[in-house]
Structures are given as structure tokens and as C-alpha cells.
Amino acid sequence: MSSAASNEPVSPTLVTMIPGDGVGPELMTSVKEVFRGMGVPIEWEEIHISEVSHQSASIDGLQESMSRNKVCLKGPLSYPEEGSEVQSLNMKLRQSLDLFANVVLCKSLEGVESRHSDVDVVVIREQTEGEYSALEHEGVPGVVESLKIITREKSLRIAKFAFDYAMRHGRRKVTAIHKANIMKLTDGLFLESCRSVADLYPRVEFDAMIVDNTCMQLVSNPGQFDIMVTPNLYGNVVDNVAAGLVGGAGVVPGASYGQRFATFEPGARHSFATAMGRNVANPTGMLLAAANLLEHLGLYPDTVAVRRALASVLRDRKVRTKDMGGQATTTDFTKAVINAAL
Amino acid sequence: MAGRIGFSTSPFRPSFTSHRAAFRNRRPYATGTSQPVTLIPGDGIGPEISTAVQTIFAAAGAPVTWDPVDVTPVRGPDGRMVIPQAAMDSMAKSKIGLKGPLGTPIGKGHQSLNLALRKTFSLYANVRPCKSVVGYETPYKDVDLVTIRENTEGEYSGIEHVIVDGVVQSIKLITEKASRRVAEFAFNFAKTQGRRTVTVVHKANVMKMSDGLFLRCCREVAEENPEVKFQEMYFDTVCLNMVQDPGLFDVLVMPNLYGDIMSDLCAGLVGGLGITPSANIGADGVAIFEAVHGTAPDIAGKDLANPTALLLSGTMMLRHLGHREVAERIEAAAYGTLADGEYRTKDLGGKASCTQYTEEICRRIAS
């Protein structure tokens, strides 16, 4: 298989692929076809892990694949209707692979209509502790406690990740999102950790904003935000608000990073089970995530080619999926991207 | 007991004919009983907007008797600064309050009024209607929803500990009692205020036991209220959909933290806290309606303030008391003034003074 832009045959890179649930498999098919049509030198090692399907690969199997490949393209995982285990599969994966930083890129795209046109935010969310610690108990019937854990170590780690990201990508400001006026110790520790890391990066501006005000500001003046660093739950909220601002879950790419591994995935992680199998899902977000994966692997000509093809289809406004106000199917859109690359 | 009406009253009062008579004759109801309301004007622009509201209510013949109280902290018997007992007594007696913005007292030893009110009257539900205002344009035009937030427990229980240095935990508390109570209020609210759907907002996929309990209580109450449509949605899905198509939502009920975030998100959709009303529902029929914006000290006393948030909180109070018709009349006059544009206050991009805006609303009510 040869690379789209050069004449020398490049041996394909093996990348783990988790198709996921809901519309995940259809979005993956789109990526596979676009890559094949454009001659992108990637081979996929599919691991079918799921919490809702009868036959699921084990976490050990996934861990083994990741140890070899280091990089993964991942679809959304559904939550079971009535789960018995306190910790979900998503949380287990994040913790076992130590994918502590979730990065969601919400940028207004030309050709995707929405109420705001000046959005360009990066949400960096700590996703291994906080409210998702899965530590709950019912001491007395009808009285439940749920523990939110914040550690200095993980707060410093995500803050450093955010500032390093800012430096590497030439971004100017990091805003810490918190509720330390009410949760003085937990969010207070998070905020204090962010401040101490900020001192080490004088070239990056730092400020802080309370999460409810942040949401109010996002819907009225999103252009004021650049990078937002958040603990777990607030990141989930802000990710989704920001994704909605630029056009929804179908157009936003994301990634989860750890010390050893990186996973590329849709930014707003919803499986849309109702759309499953109906060939209506928008593959833009997944394709953008796949392009980011190529960039991560250093396959720059292929990265540019995929992004360019996708951007031209969006800009033309002729082939649009349902969420963009059109009638095109997932496969229509996929074909359009491949054609745009030729 | 005269004049005291709890929140569960149907808006269709027996004395319907006296409603019409009052409208025609512009005088208080023939049946006579006027609802005593504790009025807390507040600080900064508080007094001027309270006066505006009283003027408008009088013009509409709203059956309310105001009992203004001062909540400036005084030195209590133990030396601490506390809320004057007279204010608390008035509230306990009338059970219905209208509150302007309060400045935060600086320094230790002050009892927060909001906290004192919440604890004394078990204010368990915070209700915030968000409606698009014609004349104050935002990118979101079809918003007409109500957020109902459990206000006593959840993530704001204030139970935090340092486990070891660098490891901190915060406890989120969810109880069946509080969850049921707010769910019952939400469905009752939907029925009495003519709303069709109640959506519970939760994250029981992640917080299986705590949000799971909240969700279960809402499901049980939904079954007891089959006339109201019931939906469940994950908090993040609601956020994603809310900023794309807010017209999808009607009444939303949720635990404390999600409610805090969601109510501010929704207020942002319609133009912010300056025009958003709010209510706090307590045990035993207590209800305190308030404007949640700040005291705006820079424009205090200059007749520039916008009384809309407090006014809409006041009409929300009238609806709660069953006086839907008077409330609608006042609201129509206010929305009409805003839509028209000639008499808009400075914060909404206009040039009218607070007095001019108030007078225009009164003029519309009389015509």
C-alpha cells in the first residue's frame, strides 16, 4: 500500500480499533473506507469490547493490543440499561490504560451551520478521578453517599498537560473551571494546583471561572474561551455544551491521552442507539479524530489530505447528513469525501 | 389563616366571576382577602425595583398586601450579626416572600441570609422559568422551559474532608425523602401550571447508586401522575441538545449541582440573570420569589435599574397563589413593552429610566 502523497511504498501502521456500540461500527466503516480509498497506510486490529453486547473482548485483550500498537481509534461505548457493577466499562478502560486527559476540540466548521461562528475551544478534562470514582454506598436504606475524590497529584498532572498543550499548539490562555466557592476543599485543591502550574508558564495567560457562569458565558459569548481545564464532571458538561455550539456530536473530534497510550474518538461520546443501523450518522467528527490520529503517528501528508477532502465536502454544502439539515446518508457522505480526495 | 394558599391549589378559583369584575373595575377582588407578602427590597437597586413592582401590582389590582422588612444584620444576643427577628417572624407568618438582590456582607461572623432562609424554611426546590423575550434578542428564540433544582442536599451538602495531605474527598448525599419531595413538587407544578412534560436530568449511568436513587424516585412519582408525560435524559445529553434545540424541553427536574449549572445555562440562553425570575419552595407552604441578579451598586439610586426580573418573580408568585389571570395581564404588559422597544432600560440596550419603563407597563395594564 503506498501513501497518498509520496511514491515510495510505506509499510502500514497497525492501529487498534474499538468499533463500540450504537452508531460506532458505522462510523468506523466510514473511516476504513475513506482511508482505503485514499491509500492511507493504516491497518486495523479490531477489538470488539462492549458492555451491552453478548460477546465482548476482555480488557486484558485490549491492554495487550494497546501495548503493541500504542494508538487506538475508538467508537462510543453504551452504558447498560441496568448495570450491576458500580464502575462502568468506560471508567475501567480509562483507569486501566491510565488515559487521564480527555481533549475535545470544539471549532466552528465552515459549512456546518450553527448559532455561533467564532468558537474555537479546547476542553481538557481530567477523567480518572473526581465524581467518577465509583465509590458509592447506601449506609441506611434511602440514604446514599457518593464520594468525589480530588488529589493534588492528578490535578497537577492535568494542569501541566493543559499548559504543555497550550505551548505546543500556540494557544494563549488556559481557564480553570471549578466550583470552589461551594466545594472549597475538593475544587479548591484543583484550583490551587492549576494556579501553581500556571506560575511555571508565564507566556500562557491563566484565569478561573465558576462552572455555572462558564455555561452561561459559553452560550452568549463563546469567543472568549481558549483552553479550558476541568475536573471530571464539569468537563463532561462543558464538552457537551461546546460541542452543541459548533453543530453537535457528529462534528466534534476528541482524544484521550495517557503516559503510554493515546485514543482518538468522537468528542461528545454518545452512542445514539436510536440511529444504529439506519445509516444516518454524521462521520465528520470521527473522520476528524482519525485525521488527528494520523497526525499523532507522524503521517503528515495523509493527515492533510484527509482534512482537505473533508473540509471541501463541508464547504460545498451539497452532501449533508441529517444533523446538518440535509438528507445524505453516512455512506453518501463517505463517498463524497473519497471523491473529493481524487 | 385568612388569605393563605398553598402551592397545590388549582389556578381555577371558585370565584371566577369576581375575577372578571375585578378586571373591569380595576379594584381588588370582591371576595376581599388580600394575600400578605413579606417584601425584602434588598440592597443597591433593590429598593427602586421593589417600588416599581409595587406600583405595577397596584395598577393591576393584584390582591397583595405588602409587608416590607429590613434584613440588614443586627447584633444578636450572643454578639454575632444575625438577621432581625422581625423579618423572620414576618416570613413565618405570611409564608410568601418577594426578595430583591442582597449584597454579600463582608467579614466573618455574618449569617448569610440565603442560608438562614433556606435552613429555617426548608427551601427544598429552586424553580427557574426561562422564556425567550421578544425584544431582547439572543441566538435562541424558542426557549420556554422551567428548571426545578433540588436545593438541600446532593453535591452541596458541604461535607468535605482531607483524607491525607493531597487527597481530598467531598460527599454527595442523595436521600429518598428529598428526591421524592422535589419530584412530587415538579409533577404538581407541571399539572397546576399547565406544563406537559417533566424530564428528569441525571447521570445514573455513572453515579449508579446516588443518581440511581434520584431517578427511581422520579419514576415512582411519574407513575402516580400519569397525566404528565415523563422523560429521562442524561445530563450531558441535555446539555448537548439544549444549546442546539432548547424548544425540546419543558419542565426539567434534577439534583442540586446539575440544577445549579442547568439553571444558569438556560438563563444564558434567554439573556442572562437580569430578566430571569426565580422561586424557592419550602416546607409547609412557604415560597420565596426572588430576582437572582446582583445589587448593581454603580447604578443604585439613579433610576436606571431594570425591574423585570423582580417583576416576573412577582408574577410567578401570583401564579403560585392561583391568580393566573392577573399575572398574565402584568406579563403581557411587560413583554409588550419590551417587544415594542421604545421603553427599554439601559441594560437591554434602551434609553428609558426605571420610572418610564414602569409607567409604560402601568399604562398598558390600564388600557
Side-chain angles (χ1 to χ4, degrees):
Chain A
M1 224 199 280
S2 52
S3 156
S6 81
N7 288 322
E8 293 184 20
V10 177
S11 64
T13 310
L14 191 60
V15 172
T16 306
M17 173 186 271
I18 301 174
D21 306 307
V23 296
E26 298 167 61
L27 300 178
M28 289 307 179
T29 304
S30 178
V31 172
K32 283 193 270 192
E33 283 177 10
V34 168
F35 278 22
R36 189 179 349 183
M38 292 177 62
V40 176
I42 297 282
E43 251 174 40
W44 305 103
E45 182 180 356
E46 292 189 29
I47 306 276
H48 293 263
I49 196 166
S50 164
E51 208 171 1
V52 298
S53 122
H54 297 297
Q55 292 167 324
S56 165
S58 68
I59 293 192
D60 288 338
L62 176 63
Q63 190 109 23
E64 201 263 322
S65 171
M66 288 296 281
S67 300
R68 277 182 283 109
N69 302 332
K70 311 280 192 270
V71 176
C72 168
L73 187 68
K74 177 179 167 287
L77 294 177
S78 288
Y79 292 93
E81 275 295 315
E82 298 292 331
S84 52
E85 292 188 58
V86 187
Q87 195 183 43
S88 69
L89 179 62
N90 272 317
M91 279 146 65
K92 283 202 187 100
L93 288 184
R94 286 169 212 164
Q95 286 183 359
S96 68
L97 299 173
D98 197 27
L99 295 168
F100 67 90
N102 179 230
V103 179
V104 177
L105 307 154
C106 299
K107 198 169 155 139
S108 297
L109 296 171
E110 197 193 335
V112 180
E113 313 297 334
S114 74
R115 292 181 181 84
H116 308 270
S117 57
D118 60 340
V119 185
D120 185 4
V121 306
V122 179
V123 186
I124 297 181
R125 160 192 179 192
E126 203 297 324
Q127 61 175 6
T128 59
E129 62 173 18
E131 299 82 350
Y132 293 30
S133 303
L135 296 163
E136 297 183 292
H137 58 269
E138 192 165 5
V140 162
V143 178
V144 176
E145 285 181 307
S146 177
L147 302 184
K148 162 179 167 169
I149 310 283
I150 297 283
T151 62
R152 184 176 295 124
E153 183 193 337
K154 291 193 174 179
S155 302
L156 289 173
R157 185 169 66 162
I158 195 70
K160 183 158 198 313
F161 182 95
F163 280 91
D164 283 342
Y165 189 98
M167 295 296 292
R168 206 175 336 122
H169 291 88
R171 312 283 302 208
R172 55 180 173 86
K173 181 168 81 163
V174 172
T175 306
I177 310 299
H178 68 98
K179 190 92 190 158
N181 51 337
I182 305 276
M183 286 187 258
K184 300 182 161 83
L185 292 187
T186 43
D187 286 0
L189 177 57
F190 180 82
L191 192 54
E192 176 200 311
S193 306
C194 290
R195 279 198 217 280
S196 62
V197 172
D199 287 342
L200 304 172
Y201 295 80
R203 294 224 303 268
V204 181
E205 201 191 319
F206 173 71
D207 69 357
M209 197 182 279
I210 297 182
V211 60
D212 29 319
N213 188 24
T214 304
C215 290
M216 218 182 333
Q217 295 293 326
L218 272 169
V219 299
S220 48
N221 183 14
Q224 64 182 288
F225 294 102
D226 190 345
I227 293 182
M228 293 189 269
V229 64
T230 81
N232 214 333
L233 180 66
Y234 310 149
N236 185 218
V237 175
V238 172
D239 278 347
N240 279 274
V241 173
L245 294 179
V246 299
V251 300
V252 177
S256 291
Y257 297 96
Q259 201 80 313
R260 301 173 58 207
F261 308 120
T263 303
F264 295 85
E265 56 195 355
R269 302 186 283 216
H270 300 267
S271 55
F272 286 135
T274 48
M276 177 168 71
R278 288 172 40 211
N279 199 13
V280 295
N282 186 347
T284 301
M286 190 62 99
L287 287 167
L288 286 171
N292 293 342
L293 183 152
L294 294 175
E295 187 174 9
H296 181 86
L297 290 173
L299 297 165
Y300 303 118
D302 294 292
T303 307
V304 171
V306 172
R307 284 184 184 151
R308 205 175 272 160
L310 183 55
S312 83
V313 172
L314 291 172
R315 227 181 8 249
D316 280 348
R317 293 174 168 85
K318 289 202 208 88
V319 183
R320 297 193 308 180
T321 48
K322 194 151 166 272
D323 60 320
M324 294 194 284
Q327 302 288 341
T329 60
T330 314
T331 34
D332 289 338
F333 193 89
T334 307
K335 288 199 183 95
V337 175
I338 299 172
N339 287 335
L342 297 173
Chain B
M1 287 280 285
R4 187 167 76 81
I5 305 167
F7 66 83
S8 51
T9 306
S10 156
F12 302 107
R13 299 179 72 218
S15 53
F16 189 61
T17 42
S18 68
H19 274 250
R20 285 224 197 92
F23 179 69
R24 260 186 278 116
N25 301 321
R26 309 292 192 273
R27 57 177 165 79
Y29 289 101
T31 49
T33 44
S34 178
Q35 170 70 41
V37 170
T38 303
L39 177 67
I40 303 170
D43 310 312
I45 55 171
E48 21 191 326
I49 56 177
S50 299
T51 307
V53 173
Q54 287 173 288
T55 310
I56 294 169
F57 269 48
V64 160
T65 309
W66 302 104
D67 180 19
V69 297
D70 184 6
V71 294
T72 315
V74 294
R75 199 164 292 281
D78 57 353
R80 282 177 65 237
M81 302 298 281
V82 293
I83 314 302
Q85 193 58 37
M88 298 303 258
D89 286 343
S90 167
M91 197 60 241
K93 188 153 166 251
S94 69
K95 306 237 184 227
I96 304 292
L98 184 65
K99 182 165 149 284
L102 292 173
T104 325
I106 301 164
K108 294 196 182 15
H110 278 89
Q111 185 190 37
S112 152
L113 173 73
N114 286 325
L115 197 57
L117 286 173
R118 195 175 323 134
K119 287 206 140 79
T120 311
F121 300 108
S122 301
L123 299 177
Y124 65 88
N126 178 251
V127 185
R128 216 190 270 184
C130 292
K131 199 167 160 174
S132 293
V133 174
V134 175
Y136 188 44
E137 304 299 315
T138 68
Y140 303 89
K141 312 256 184 282
D142 55 347
V143 186
D144 184 5
L145 55 85
V146 181
T147 60
I148 298 180
R149 158 193 176 191
E150 201 293 322
N151 212 7
T152 63
E153 55 177 31
E155 299 81 349
Y156 294 178
S157 305
I159 316 168
E160 290 191 296
H161 323 94
V162 176
I163 316 268
V164 290
D165 180 48
V167 180
V168 186
Q169 100 184 358
S170 172
I171 297 183
K172 163 175 163 168
L173 186 66
I174 298 284
T175 64
E176 184 170 355
K177 188 164 161 236
S179 304
R180 231 180 187 275
R181 187 170 57 173
V182 75
E184 279 166 6
F185 174 77
F187 279 87
N188 221 326
F189 180 90
K191 285 197 294 200
T192 56
Q193 304 298 327
R195 313 289 304 204
R196 289 185 325 275
T197 311
V198 171
T199 305
V200 59
V201 180
H202 67 99
K203 274 205 82 62
N205 49 343
V206 175
M207 282 174 262
K208 296 178 183 179
M209 287 177 78
S210 46
D211 283 4
L213 175 57
F214 188 86
L215 180 58
R216 208 162 54 244
C217 292
C218 289
R219 283 177 180 160
E220 283 166 18
V221 175
E223 268 171 42
E224 294 158 18
N225 293 274
E227 337 69 297
V228 179
K229 190 156 170 267
F230 174 63
Q231 274 176 7
E232 311 174 1
M233 211 182 271
Y234 294 142
F235 183 29
D236 45 355
T237 309
V238 176
C239 289
L240 181 68
N241 292 337
M242 181 66 76
V243 299
Q244 293 180 82
D245 191 4
L248 290 171
F249 299 101
D250 192 348
V251 175
L252 299 156
V253 64
M254 57 211 115
N256 213 334
L257 173 67
Y258 311 153
D260 193 5
I261 298 174
M262 186 63 66
S263 56
D264 277 4
L265 173 63
C266 295
L269 298 177
V270 300
L273 301 176
I275 50 167
T276 313
S278 150
N280 290 296
I281 308 299
D284 223 24
V286 171
I288 302 178
F289 300 82
E290 62 176 343
V292 288
H293 54 67
T295 53
D298 47 331
I299 57 167
K302 295 182 184 164
D303 199 21
L304 292 171
N306 181 352
T308 308
L310 191 63
L311 180 64
L312 293 177
S313 301
T315 58
M316 207 180 151
M317 174 183 77
L318 289 172
R319 284 172 185 277
H320 175 94
L321 295 168
H323 303 302
R324 189 194 269 184
E325 200 253 332
V326 187
E328 274 171 7
R329 240 185 314 133
I330 297 174
E331 283 166 9
Y335 286 133
T337 309
L338 289 169
D340 205 36
E342 210 192 322
Y343 291 95
R344 247 182 257 158
T345 48
K346 191 154 171 268
D347 58 313
L348 299 181
K351 296 199 197 70
S353 67
C354 180
T355 314
Q356 287 170 326
Y357 177 66
T358 307
E359 277 170 1
E360 173 63 13
I361 295 179
C362 293
R363 194 191 63 75
R364 283 174 184 256
I365 291 173
S367 65

